[in-house]
């Protein structure tokens, strides 16, 4: 399988000058259903016993015949790779992460507070 | 008089704009057409498509930024495709792509602007970032033909009383803490009533069955108002009601028990009375006899009724729109963005960053000079 458009991401930090993240395109197993782009864990928890709950907001399948459709699928894989990489980095740093940092992350992501208001 | 056609493309006599809205849990896509010339009752904007999909959470749950953003990300392209089909246009027919730049929730705003940026680059069409509140005001004026009203903007995220003066929509009064829609939505969560079609609508329906008024704190502060204390107060009453705790406020003088419907009725009456008071004062300040109600809470028929009583006493007129235009939508973003585009504005790619804070009075209203 060939991909005309292949996305990549560049990450840098004080300990990593430059890291280019590229999705593995040696196989065609790319879809728009990302491993890390599903429902939030909060929503999964509150709906786990609700038999009537269906996730109506899953992404549409990608168009395998068009280059933009293929890009959507590979981009989802790249997004997964980035999320996994960043989560691992955060977990590695977790010994240095204070409760305050974790609370800030939760407030920004789940409560929508402005980063400028973090204090 | 402002010339709205200095930037009209040669050989054309009209404009098309796509509007993308996603500052909260509604995702809206609209396509509007303006004919050349000043907008008047005889030369009105045409709505070619106005499609909305709402992210609805389970009862008792609010919408979290990351799940709301996911909803917008996964629906935006489907909605844009549908809007193009309904309007019988192709992407390349558009003059400008308008998106909500703020205020609103960060993650949902970011999801939608990414779609806007992508289409802008694919089709080589300029972008314009729109202030959400200005979108409500301009669409309300266009739909109702109200020329220079005092605007009451009431929604889940905003509560403002606004009047136009010298090319700015100026804020005369506003909430000091939470928005009125947020107060109603959070009380709906306390009651664990459905969020479908919206918590505010379901509170309104329950309130129709209420007949006993429970006195709540009345917190108008000059031209501003505060609602978080009222919410806390009524949440406590609901807690006592559900847990059968003794509370003399939950029994009427005639010995009748207060119900959840009575609480919904009382909350609406108290909050809306506060809004009517500051609106009336703003009308007196700016010597206007027109009131335009915009924003999702503007659909509430009881609010419209209470406001109409006050406005009638002042021999004025009240203007409100139906749910297609008062609840967040893409067409208002297309309309306000197109007005700015017609005055020569565009937003360069590197300035398309969205912002959670974007006050109504920051926008220079170039398309008006009255």
């Amino acid at each position: 399988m060939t991909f005309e458009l292949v996305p990549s991401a560049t990450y840098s930090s004080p300990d990593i000058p430059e890291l280019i993240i590229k999705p593995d395109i040696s196989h065609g197993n790319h879809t728009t259903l990302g491993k890390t782009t599903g429902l939030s864990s909060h929503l999964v928890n509150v709906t786990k016993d609700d038999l009537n709950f269906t996730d109506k907001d899953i992404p549409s399948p990608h168009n395998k015949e068009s280059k933009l459709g293929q890009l959507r699928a590979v981009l989802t894989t790249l997004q997964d790779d980035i999320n996994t990489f960043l989560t691992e980095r955060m977990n590695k740093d977790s010994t240095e992460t204070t409760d305050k940092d974790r609370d800030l992350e939760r407030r920004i992501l789940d409560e929508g507070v402005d980063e400028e208001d973090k204090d | 008089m402002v010339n709205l056609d200095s930037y009209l493309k040669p050989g054309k006599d009209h404009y098309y704009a796509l509007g993308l809205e996603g500052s909260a849990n509604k995702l809206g896509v609209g396509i509007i057409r303006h004919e050349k010339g000043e907008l008047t009752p005889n030369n009105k904007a045409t709505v070619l498509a106005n499609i909305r999909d709402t992210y609805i959470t389970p009862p008792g749950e609010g919408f979290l930024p990351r799940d709301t953003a996911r909803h917008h990300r996964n629906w935006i392209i489907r909605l844009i495709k549908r809007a193009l089909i309904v309007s019988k246009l192709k992407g390349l027919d558009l003059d400008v792509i308008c998106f909500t730049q703020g205020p609103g929730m960060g993650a949902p705003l970011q999801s939608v602007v990414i779609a806007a940026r992508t289409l802008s680059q694919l089709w080589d069409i300029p972008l314009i970032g729109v202030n959400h509140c200005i979108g409500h005001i301009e669409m309300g004026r266009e739909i109702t033909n109200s020329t220079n009203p005092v605007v009451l903007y009431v929604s889940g995220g905003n509560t403002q009383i606004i009047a136009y003066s010298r090319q700015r929509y100026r804020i005369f009064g506003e909430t000091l803490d939470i928005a009125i829609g947020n107060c109603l939505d959070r009380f709906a969560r306390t009651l664990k009533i459905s969020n479908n079609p919206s918590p505010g609508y379901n509170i309104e329906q329950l309130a129709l069955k209420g007949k006993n008024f429970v006195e709540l704190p009345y917190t108008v502060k000059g031209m501003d108002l505060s609602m978080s204390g009222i919410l806390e107060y009524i949440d406590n009453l609901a807690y006592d009601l559900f847990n059968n705790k003794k509370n003399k406020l939950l029994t009427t003088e005639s010995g009748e028990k207060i119900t959840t419907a009575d609480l919904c009725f009382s909350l609406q009456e108290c909050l809306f009375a506060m809004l009517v008071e500051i609106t009336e004062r703003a009308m007196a300040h700016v010597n206007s006899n027109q009131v335009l109600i915009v924003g999702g809470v503007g659909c509430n028929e009881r609010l419209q009724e209470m406001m109409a009583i006050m406005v009638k006493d002042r021999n004025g007129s009240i203007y409100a729109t139906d749910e297609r235009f008062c609840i967040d939508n893409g067409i208002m973003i297309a309309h306000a963005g197109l007005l700015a585009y017609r005055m020569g504005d565009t937003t360069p790619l590197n300035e398309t960053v969205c912002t959670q804070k974007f006050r109504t009075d920051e926008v220079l209203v170039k398309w008006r000079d009255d």
Side-chain angles (χ1 to χ4, degrees), chain B residues 249-271:
Chain B
L249 294 171
L250 293 174
T251 311
T252 65
E253 281 177 7
S254 59
E256 252 184 288
K257 289 220 156 123
I258 296 294
T259 63
T260 50
D262 291 332
L263 291 181
C264 293
F265 165 72
S266 306
L267 181 61
Q268 280 199 169
E269 294 296 304
C270 178
L271 294 177

Side-chain angles (χ1 to χ4, degrees), chain B residues 6 33 40 48 54 64 109 144 188 192 251-252 326 337:
Chain B
S6 305
R33 176 180 165 128
T40 65
L48 299 179
T54 304
L64 297 178
L109 283 169
T144 63
K192 290 213 169 4
T251 311
T252 65
C326 72

